[in-house]
Amino acid sequence: LLCQALVGKSTSKETVYKVDLLGQFIDPFLSVSEKSLSFTILKGPGDVLERVDKPLTLINISTLPLTAKLILNYPFLLCLNNGDETEEANIYLESNETFKVRIQF
């Protein structure tokens, strides 16, 4: 970190102080219960297509809070715990907090 200033009528900057900064960064870690989800629907003539959903659990295994945005494209939906069905959801997880959702096809 460098702080410079113009002193008096000087046209050039003078260094007032210089400080070395060190930082330690922690990568966010997100544990996902399933590496992939497979959906199979067997439909015969005259059958009505039923929605199928599967559970997915996300756990923040980092020591820091985590913010994430989940985005799915049609024909998939997120089924949230409050009953809402959506293609997008913003989540905030404290350290070791769990988020459960159902993926619907």
Side-chain angles (χ1 to χ4, degrees), residues 1-75:
L1 179 62
L2 182 64
C3 179
Q4 295 180 323
L6 295 173
V7 179
K9 296 182 181 182
S10 174
T11 58
S12 62
K13 296 177 189 176
E14 292 184 32
T15 299
V16 177
Y17 62 86
K18 180 180 177 182
V19 178
D20 292 329
L21 294 178
L22 298 175
Q24 179 181 6
F25 295 93
I26 301 172
D27 290 331
F29 292 110
L30 186 64
S31 172
V32 181
S33 62
E34 303 293 329
K35 291 186 180 187
S36 67
L37 296 174
S38 297
F39 293 88
T40 302
I41 299 175
L42 301 175
K43 182 185 177 306
D47 290 349
V48 176
L49 281 177
E50 298 289 331
R51 294 180 177 183
V52 178
D53 61 65
K54 295 196 176 183
L56 185 69
T57 302
L58 306 173
I59 304 170
N60 178 8
I61 57 174
S62 171
T63 58
L64 297 174
L66 174 71
T67 301
K69 185 172 192 172
L70 306 177
I71 302 172
L72 294 180
N73 293 318
Y74 178 84

